Each structure stands twice: as C-alpha cells, then as structure tokens.
C-alpha cells in the first residue's frame, strides 16, 4: 500500500491542515527542515527541497507514520499534548479533524497528518486519540499564498 502518489498531490490534498510556524535556515547537506510551531521545534524530512523554502514564516504539512494510534477512553483528560521523541519522532494526544483511508488528521498543538501502512482504528472527527510516530516526520512546505511550493 502507498500513502501518496506524489509529493505535489499529498501537499495539495492536505494544504488546509498545514501548520503555521517558522522555518530556520537548513544546514548545508542536511535533508532536515527545522520548523518551530505550536511551541515545539520539529525536525522534518524535506519532501519539497532541497533548499526550496526560505527561512522565515511558513506553512508546512507535517506528516508522520504512526507506530501507535489509540482512541482515548471517555474518562481520559482531553488536553492536546505534543512531545518530541529523539530527533524526528513525536508522541501526543489530540482531536481527530479528518479521517481518510489509513490516514487521520489530528490537532495536537499543531495539525498533523498521521498515516499507517496497517489498518488502524475506526475513528471519527471529534474523537480524541493518543499516538506515537516513527521517525522521521515529513515536511511538505507550502507557498506563502496559494499553497504552491516555493520554487
């Protein structure tokens, strides 16, 4: 199973769920974007580069492959959390915004597009989940106004 047919299609499909934050200058030769959003610094594998986006304010679709995704029981506290694990993994809790085929958009301090190669739980928008992703997170940088990539 594939999660995307092209970086352009994926970026366009999830542009409405891009996180707003700040991109920092890339280290020469590094495939990672340093992106600050939601009070966290995320290191994202650059899917639109290299060197395609200038440092500064940016909108980025943050995409992760889930290792664990579970619906929170009704009695669990409903507070968004996001913790960086290692260089480029995350875990947290958030509210489901949209559900696709093996894909869930979750808001956990920032919007995240989470996906799985295996069948995941049957979730609905509005439900709360706990998750953990495998590194690396992927970043799809959008343009300033139209959602097109910087180039």
């Amino acid at each position: 199973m594939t999660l995307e047919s092209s970086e352009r299609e994926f970026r366009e499909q999830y542009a409405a769920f891009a996180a707003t934050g700040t991109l920092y200058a890339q280290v020469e030769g590094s495939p990672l974007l340093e992106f600050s959003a939601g009070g966290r610094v995320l290191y994202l594998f650059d899917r639109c580069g290299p060197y395609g986006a200038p440092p500064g304010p940016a909108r980025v679709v943050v995409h992760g492959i889930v290792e664990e995704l579970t619906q929170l029981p009704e009695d669990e506290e409903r507070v968004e959390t996001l913790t960086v694990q290692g260089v480029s993994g995350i875990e947290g809790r958030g509210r489901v915004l949209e559900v696709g085929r093996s894909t869930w958009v979750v808001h956990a301090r920032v919007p995240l597009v989470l996906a799985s190669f295996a069948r995941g739980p049957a979730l609905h928008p509005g439900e709360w989940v706990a998750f953990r992703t495998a590194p690396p997170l992927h970043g799809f940088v959008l343009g300033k106004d139209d959602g097109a990539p910087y180039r």
Side-chain angles (χ1 to χ4, degrees), residues 53-113:
R59 294 178 52 233
V60 178
V61 176
V62 179
H63 172 53
I65 304 300
V66 295
E67 290 183 326
E68 185 178 324
L69 179 70
T70 57
Q71 183 177 0
L72 289 181
E74 297 264 340
D75 61 347
E76 291 273 341
E77 186 178 23
R78 303 305 201 236
V79 175
E80 292 181 10
T81 64
L82 186 64
T83 305
V84 177
Q85 300 293 309
V87 173
S88 186
I90 53 174
E91 69 178 19
R93 292 177 176 215
R95 186 172 52 88
V96 176
L97 302 177
E98 184 172 287
V99 177
R101 195 185 98 238
S102 297
T103 306
W104 305 269
V105 178
V106 174
H107 196 281
R109 297 183 64 98
V110 297
L112 304 164
V113 179

Side-chain angles (χ1 to χ4, degrees), residues 15 17-24 33-38 44 52-62 110-111 140-145 148 150:
F17 301 107
T20 301
T22 302
L23 277 176
Y24 296 95
L33 296 168
E34 186 175 3
F35 181 59
S36 176
L44 311 172
R59 294 178 52 233
V60 178
V61 176
V62 179
V110 297
F140 296 80
V141 180
L142 305 181
K144 289 183 181 180
D145 300 318
Y150 288 98

Side-chain angles (χ1 to χ4, degrees), residues 19-48:
T20 301
T22 302
L23 277 176
Y24 296 95
Q26 281 182 272
V27 174
E28 185 68 32
S30 174
L32 295 180
L33 296 168
E34 186 175 3
F35 181 59
S36 176
R40 301 291 182 266
V41 175
L42 305 174
Y43 289 91
L44 311 172
F45 181 73
D46 185 359
R47 294 299 304 274
C48 300

